[in-house]
Amino acid sequence: PRVIPPDTCNAIIYKSEQIRYRLMDDTIDSGDPSNYDQQTQEVYIYHNERVIEPTLYELIEPHLPTLTDAIKRRRERVWGSEFADGASFTDPTYEWIFLRKYYPLG
């Protein structure tokens, strides 16, 4: 099932393109900090209990309960994985919502 409808996704993309993305090193997917060979662009929407980009948050916020339910349903499939270590799948919360664009490697 879709968590966010396509028309809302398109609105998020459109609105995010009007906001200045920050140029960042890829700190999440690259692993070793000495090997940050991929640049990304990020927009923080929500971080540390604060809305950073209200326009984008207003688009996403109505869909957060559906996303929470999807996480709860996946609990059984990911319970033993490294991503589930210490995570709460019975009452998930969120601390950080962001958009990220990757530059092509080359």
Side-chain angles (χ1 to χ4, degrees):
R2 291 187 172 136
V3 174
I4 299 177
D7 60 330
T8 303
C9 290
N10 290 333
I12 291 168
I13 293 167
Y14 177 78
K15 295 277 187 189
S16 74
E17 292 295 335
Q18 297 172 351
I19 296 169
R20 184 174 182 175
Y21 277 70
R22 299 178 320 155
L23 184 62
M24 306 286 290
D25 288 325
D26 181 6
T27 59
I28 292 176
D29 296 328
S30 62
D32 180 3
S34 66
N35 190 26
Y36 290 158
D37 60 353
Q38 186 167 358
Q39 293 283 298
T40 65
Q41 292 180 325
E42 293 181 350
V43 169
Y44 285 13
I45 299 171
Y46 179 93
H47 192 241
N48 292 332
E49 300 181 8
R50 225 182 71 197
V51 174
I52 309 297
E53 289 294 342
T55 304
L56 294 173
Y57 187 78
E58 288 172 9
L59 292 168
I60 293 170
E61 193 273 333
H63 304 285
L64 291 175
T66 305
L67 178 59
T68 299
D69 288 342
I71 291 168
K72 288 179 183 178
R73 285 192 309 273
R74 287 186 46 91
R75 175 179 56 138
E76 296 300 322
R77 294 190 355 208
V78 297
W79 189 252
S81 77
E82 63 184 282
F83 300 109
D85 189 31
S88 171
F89 288 95
T90 56
D91 188 22
T93 60
Y94 58 93
E95 298 174 4
W96 188 21
I97 301 171
F98 62 94
L99 300 177
R100 175 177 278 181
K101 296 192 299 187
Y102 289 90
Y103 286 106
L105 292 175

